[in-house]
Amino acid sequence: MGDNALMSDVLELEDVSVVREGRALVDQVSWSVKEGERWIILGPNGAGKTTLLNIASSYLFPSSGGVSILGDRLGKVDVFELRPRIGMAGIALAEKLPKRQTVLQTVLTAAYGMTASWQESYEDVDEQRARAFLDRLGMSEYLDRRFGTLSEGERKRTLIARALMTDPELLLLDEPAAGLDLGGREDLVRRLGRLARDPLAPSMIMVTHHVEEIAPGFTHVLMIRQGKVLAAGPLELELTSRNLSLCFGLPLLVEQSGDRWTARGLPMS
Ligand SMILES: Nc1ncnc2c1ncn2[C@@H]1O[C@H](COP(=O)(O)OP(=O)(O)OP(=O)(O)O)[C@@H](O)[C@H]1O
Ligand SMILES: [Mg+2]
């Protein structure tokens, strides 16, 4: 159990740095995610977004600074007890999963915290849960398909269903819409929006490069550039043309239309 002050914090980073070969990939980042918040992480290629998610998932220890995840202090908590409480969907994981496993097996194996389906016997209730999550992600027709034969979009939806399987308190999504066509992206944004607005759904942190992928229901944004925090706070306050331009290093116009966001480049003057 963490300090009382941190109990309601989903994630707390204090002055966190990750240094590799003399370079700070994450540079003195302080950031806190409270219960009920849904965060977007924005930043250019190489900014340190995935590195931050790796810290948030307890797979990477920072070179310096303090990290609390779900009320537990990294370094003091047994990460093997912490990890099942965190759901992660990203490209790195997709590559580790056996391609010959079926979609249903791919989701089911998450319940046992392993990437391969050996010969475990699953409980009926686990299988029902796996089917329900796949249904929620629109994957009911693909239960018996081999994971390796799925399209990019189908694979992404399977990974999100898999991440939900352990009933995590924190869900981390690394570019879930990357590689999807327009229809696939809009479908995923709609599903993520439903999840983000569900009060029973886990806390969520989603990395993206595109403000168009921010689903309604997300509440906060963290903008990073070269490992440093540029802005952090409620979307309405921080997702401004000024901040996004500084973040990506070119003049951008951000607009909110309805409950969605768009951004486009402005002519250099
Ligand atoms: N083990 C490592 N040793 C040295 N440099 C590393 C290591 N891991 C990552 N990096 C570098 O750290 C920086 C941040 O990487 P990271 O994957 O967090 O970026 P990102 O914001 O997720 O980028 P992208 O948008 O391209 O996914 C990159 O420049 C990357 O090359
Ligand atoms: Mg990345």
Side-chain angles (χ1 to χ4, degrees):
M1 282 290 140
D3 306 328
N4 283 336
L6 298 174
M7 287 299 284
S8 66
D9 282 343
V10 171
L11 183 66
E12 177 88 30
L13 270 57
E14 292 168 65
D15 233 0
V16 164
S17 296
V18 175
V19 180
R20 295 284 182 276
E21 292 155 16
R23 187 165 74 96
L25 314 182
V26 169
D27 200 354
Q28 294 186 303
V29 167
S30 293
W31 174 37
S32 107
V33 174
K34 310 271 185 233
E35 228 161 89
E37 296 175 350
R38 314 267 190 245
W39 281 77
I40 298 290
I41 303 181
L42 280 171
N45 288 130
K49 303 179 296 297
T50 298
T51 307
L52 273 182
L53 281 197
N54 288 340
I55 294 170
S57 64
S58 85
Y59 279 87
L60 180 68
F61 276 58
S63 314
S64 61
V67 179
S68 294
I69 306 170
L70 298 170
D72 287 323
R73 192 96 179 159
L74 208 56
K76 289 188 182 160
V77 63
D78 177 357
V79 288
F80 293 99
E81 280 177 25
L82 185 57
R83 283 174 190 166
R85 301 169 64 197
I86 304 165
M88 174 98 166
I91 310 146
L93 173 69
E95 282 160 3
K96 280 187 211 134
L97 293 169
K99 294 186 171 43
R100 304 194 47 171
Q101 242 174 221
T102 67
V103 166
L104 185 60
Q105 283 169 337
T106 302
V107 174
L108 261 174
T109 54
Y112 295 81
M114 55 186 83
T115 47
S117 163
W118 207 236
Q119 279 169 352
E120 316 92 5
S121 55
Y122 297 106
E123 308 274 346
D124 280 350
V125 359
D126 290 329
E127 185 166 328
Q128 276 163 24
R129 279 167 56 76
R131 285 172 182 273
F133 287 126
L134 281 162
D135 186 46
R136 195 162 169 190
L137 273 303
M139 288 298 293
S140 285
E141 322 243 293
Y142 299 83
L143 298 180
D144 298 322
R145 273 279 288 283
R146 293 191 192 285
F147 183 67
T149 68
L150 296 177
S151 80
E152 196 69 27
E154 292 155 1
R155 192 170 313 158
K156 298 239 144 117
R157 285 185 278 148
T158 304
L159 288 178
I160 296 170
R162 184 177 200 277
L164 290 169
M165 190 63 193
T166 58
D167 200 10
E169 292 156 70
L170 173 59
L171 179 62
L172 307 172
L173 303 168
D174 198 353
E175 298 187 42
L180 303 194
D181 70 18
L182 188 55
R185 181 191 83 186
E186 286 306 301
D187 179 69
L188 187 67
V189 167
R190 193 166 45 84
R191 291 176 197 281
L192 289 178
R194 251 188 243 145
L195 204 56
R197 279 173 302 199
D198 181 350
L200 296 178
S203 297
M204 291 167 69
I205 302 173
M206 180 182 101
V207 168
T208 179
H209 290 121
H210 302 289
V211 301
E212 288 76 6
E213 293 171 4
I214 301 175
F218 278 85
T219 59
H220 288 68
V221 65
L222 177 77
M223 287 192 221
I224 58 170
R225 178 176 174 81
Q226 294 175 350
K228 289 193 181 67
V229 175
L230 216 136
L235 277 167
E236 264 72 19
L237 287 181
E238 301 295 342
L239 189 49
T240 60
S241 297
R242 181 176 184 278
N243 282 345
L244 201 71
S245 302
L246 286 170
C247 188
F248 285 90
L250 78 168
L252 293 165
L253 178 68
V254 177
E255 285 174 324
Q256 191 176 16
S257 66
D259 50 14
R260 297 289 298 277
W261 300 83
T262 58
R264 62 191 154 92
L266 286 174
M268 308 258 185
S269 53

